[in-house]
Amino acid sequence: MSIRPTLETRAAMETLEGAGVKLHRAFGFHKPSELDPFLLFDDFRNDSPEDFQKGFPWHPHRGIETITYVLSGSVEHADSLGNQGKLGAGDVQWMTAGSGILHQEMPQGNMSGQMHGFQLWANLPRDLKMTTPRYQDVEAKEIPEIIDDDGTAVRVVVGEFWGKRGPVDGIAADPQYLDIWIPPGVKKTLPVDTYRRAFAYIFEGSAAFADASAPTGVLLEKEVGGEEVNIRDMSGNRTLVRFGTGDEITVQAGEEGVRFLLISGAPIQEPVAWHGPIVMNTGEELQQAFRELRNGTFIKPAH
């Protein structure tokens, strides 16, 4: 077994998207090979409705899949194929844009006016860029949760983990998408397939991730839950952790525990031509997509 080194930790950057939604972007719109097959990751979390209620009005997608995971509040959605629905707390939607779709997503706060969710973009390989669009809407109750003896809890959204399989299937990137809670002071080693690119995104509490060159993962200076850790090495809220190669990660939870997404997928390793919500392989394919948007032939008949 080999521990994946931590290549980088960085804070998600505040930005505006849609019709003025305030969110934090962990990565996106540069270096598409960095976390191939994943292109973009947004954390939309707000306590004030004015920061999100204008939402993401009608816009196109082609050549990608979008994964929306709602933690609190809800998201109403509709598309050019006639689909419409509402994602509530704990629900997931995996949308394969394929050959092209127009859709909108309108967040709504919970009873206290709060909204929190994530959106991840995954690239499609060349032979699936123009596949027929489809949706998979998954309710929270369908997502298996595993509780380990030490209190670690894992929701398996996609992929297989500790003998449980998530309900979303048929995804081109064959990803693993896990929502993990580790209690205060607990140190945990988690498997990750060797051949996948992987990242973690911390959104509650703090943690240190062990490095291959230092199996403890930290310089020992302060005791937390019976083990010494260097608090300066702790990564906290809205932090992206990008891993190198290996087949496991080791996490030391901080004093308040840690909750994070652990996401991995098989790299596509193809050329990327990307502008806004459309991702193709060549500049000509990208230009064609925008020509079709202008002349009304963007949406293709099902095949």
Side-chain angles (χ1 to χ4, degrees):
M1 305 294 284
S2 60
I3 297 174
R4 285 179 175 249
T6 299
L7 299 180
E8 179 187 19
T9 60
R10 66 175 182 247
M13 302 299 291
E14 203 170 342
T15 189
L16 287 176
E17 196 54 85
V21 177
K22 292 183 179 179
L23 52 80
H24 284 75
R25 179 159 292 154
F27 62 89
F29 294 108
H30 73 289
K31 295 184 181 178
S33 63
E34 184 177 74
L35 283 165
D36 179 18
F38 306 115
L39 298 166
L40 176 146
F41 182 86
D42 284 343
D43 177 350
F44 48 99
R45 181 188 334 183
N46 291 293
D47 294 330
S48 303
E50 59 267 24
D51 290 338
F52 61 79
Q53 61 189 2
K54 292 181 181 179
F56 307 91
W58 291 98
H59 59 280
H61 283 294
R62 176 178 285 181
I64 63 171
E65 300 181 284
T66 67
I67 303 93
T68 305
Y69 181 28
V70 178
L71 292 185
S72 62
S74 61
V75 177
E76 290 188 347
H77 65 89
D79 68 40
S80 52
L81 304 178
N83 299 308
Q84 58 182 0
K86 187 173 186 177
L87 301 175
D91 295 349
V92 174
Q93 180 192 84
W94 200 293
M95 183 193 77
T96 302
S99 62
I101 200 166
L102 298 171
H103 78 155
Q104 67 171 356
E105 298 154 304
M106 305 303 289
Q108 298 180 344
N110 59 18
M111 295 293 290
S112 301
Q114 299 167 325
M115 175 70 211
H116 190 190
F118 306 106
Q119 188 165 93
L120 174 70
W121 290 13
N123 200 6
L124 281 169
R126 187 188 306 273
D127 60 350
L128 293 176
K129 288 286 190 191
M130 298 299 287
T131 193
T132 301
R134 69 169 182 147
Y135 278 96
Q136 294 184 68
D137 283 350
V138 178
E139 294 184 0
K141 63 184 180 184
E142 300 176 57
I143 299 174
E145 184 171 15
I146 310 163
I147 311 293
D148 207 5
D149 293 341
D150 59 10
T152 297
V154 181
R155 296 190 82 213
V156 186
V157 178
V158 186
E160 189 170 351
F161 189 78
W162 287 348
K164 295 286 187 180
R165 176 165 287 280
V168 181
D169 61 7
I171 304 304
D174 188 26
Q176 187 181 62
Y177 191 123
L178 309 174
D179 178 352
I180 300 172
W181 158 255
I182 300 178
V186 171
K187 188 174 183 179
K188 199 74 178 173
T189 296
L190 306 167
V192 182
D193 188 284
T194 307
Y195 300 102
R196 298 167 182 262
R197 297 267 171 80
F199 70 90
Y201 182 76
I202 299 172
F203 60 96
E204 287 181 18
S206 62
F209 290 84
D211 196 292
S213 62
T216 60
V218 288
L219 299 172
L220 304 180
E221 287 190 359
K222 179 177 178 181
E223 188 170 303
V224 177
E227 293 199 28
E228 290 183 325
V229 298
N230 179 0
I231 297 306
R232 291 176 304 175
D233 287 345
M234 288 282 172
S235 296
N237 185 24
R238 293 194 177 105
T239 298
L240 173 76
V241 183
R242 190 166 60 89
F243 300 107
T245 57
D247 51 21
E248 62 184 20
I249 65 167
T250 296
V251 189
Q252 170 71 61
E255 294 175 311
E256 298 178 350
V258 66
R259 189 176 177 188
F260 63 98
L261 302 179
L262 179 59
I263 299 174
S264 62
I268 295 173
Q269 297 179 317
E270 292 180 352
V272 172
W274 182 3
H275 184 74
I278 297 174
V279 183
M280 303 303 290
N281 292 110
T282 70
E284 172 53 35
E285 291 169 343
L286 199 58
Q287 292 170 17
Q288 180 180 342
F290 283 97
R291 282 197 301 269
E292 291 176 356
L293 268 174
R294 291 192 296 269
N295 66 27
T297 61
F298 184 78
I299 304 300
K300 305 301 182 186
H303 58 274

